[in-house]
Amino acid sequence: MNIILLGPPGAGKGTQAERLEKRYAIKQLSTGDMLRAAVAEGTELGKQVEAIMARGDLVPDHVVVAIVAERIDAADCANGFILDGFPRNVGQAEALDRMLKEKGKGLDSVIELGVDEAILIDRIDKRAAETAGGPRPDDNVEALRQRLAVYFEQTVPVSAYYRDRGLLRTVDGMADIETVSREIENVLKRAA
Ligand code: AMP
């Protein structure tokens, strides 16, 4: 089963992806986690993307598309994958379509975690306050707000892209973690 989780920063994509990973024995692929690992290891790629990430901007499409293309061929994705944080714009969604076609794979479901904008901004400010000085240099107020601006400008159109293809399912991301999990499971049952 191949799934995409869409939603703004702070919507709980990471938490839900981890649950899906266990439930369905499919692999969570978070481009953010992979890029952070490259930064932490100080690789050439990490050096290229560090400043961009710290600002809350998107790294170039070809960089993330190459990472995903390589990663979904790995043995741990044989059962399927959950893309978390990718695609972030329509160009990446188109590149993903081409890539999956070439590999003879497809998407089963695109699940969007719907979040109220005002509540989201509030959550983001709380997250910035709680995590200040923490492990993520992009969890300060400016970077989080920039990530949100990029989300509205570039990632929101990705939902329409998948809606047009009949793949998009929206779940209320404001509910508690258990309820959101259950809703996602219901969506996936219907898609099966
Ligand atoms: P995330 O952990 O998904 O919030 O991603 C953290 C940061 O990594 C983002 O703010 C971007 O700088 C970068 N990033 C993650 N995924 C992508 C992507 N699909 N395209 C471009 N940049 C990305």
Side-chain angles (χ1 to χ4, degrees):
M1 184 158 54
N2 301 330
I3 304 169
I4 295 177
L5 272 185
L6 288 180
K13 292 190 299 293
T15 306
Q16 294 300 332
E18 277 168 30
R19 290 178 156 229
L20 288 168
E21 183 170 58
K22 293 201 184 83
R23 172 83 173 78
Y24 294 99
I26 55 181
K27 190 71 193 161
Q28 172 190 10
L29 301 181
S30 156
T31 42
D33 283 352
M34 293 184 245
L35 293 167
R36 274 185 290 279
V39 171
E41 284 162 25
T43 63
E44 205 44 54
L45 168 70
K47 286 180 197 142
Q48 275 172 34
V49 299
E50 189 168 11
I52 303 173
M53 290 177 73
R55 289 200 295 273
D57 284 326
L58 294 185
V59 310
D61 289 351
H62 68 89
V63 171
V64 280
V65 169
I67 294 178
V68 171
E70 193 192 328
R71 197 58 193 78
I72 60 177
D73 282 333
D76 59 3
C77 290
N79 255 343
F81 53 78
I82 310 143
L83 289 171
D84 159 13
F86 179 93
R88 280 285 231 284
N89 58 32
V90 170
Q92 292 180 14
E94 289 168 347
L96 177 65
D97 273 348
R98 286 193 296 273
M99 177 202 306
L100 292 176
K101 202 167 172 200
E102 274 167 25
K103 295 178 190 292
K105 296 179 196 275
L107 290 171
D108 296 284
S109 209
V110 178
I111 299 169
E112 175 186 56
L113 300 182
V115 173
D116 179 272
E117 207 176 306
I119 296 176
L120 187 67
I121 290 169
D122 187 53
R123 271 195 195 175
I124 290 224
D125 286 347
K126 280 208 187 90
R127 174 160 160 185
E130 279 164 15
T131 55
R136 280 189 67 159
D138 59 351
D139 266 354
N140 60 71
V141 175
E142 294 79 41
L144 274 164
R145 286 190 176 247
Q146 176 60 13
R147 281 157 63 197
L148 203 57
V150 168
Y151 171 78
F152 285 119
E153 196 181 307
Q154 300 201 44
T155 313
V156 166
V158 174
S159 295
Y161 181 89
Y162 289 117
R163 190 177 297 117
D164 290 349
R165 283 155 184 77
L167 283 169
L168 189 76
R169 300 291 177 269
T170 302
V171 160
D172 176 12
M174 305 308 301
D176 59 89
I177 292 174
E178 290 299 335
T179 308
V180 176
S181 280
R182 215 169 34 241
E183 288 291 307
I184 292 176
E185 222 165 278
N186 287 338
V187 163
L188 294 176
K189 269 190 209 136
R190 286 197 291 271

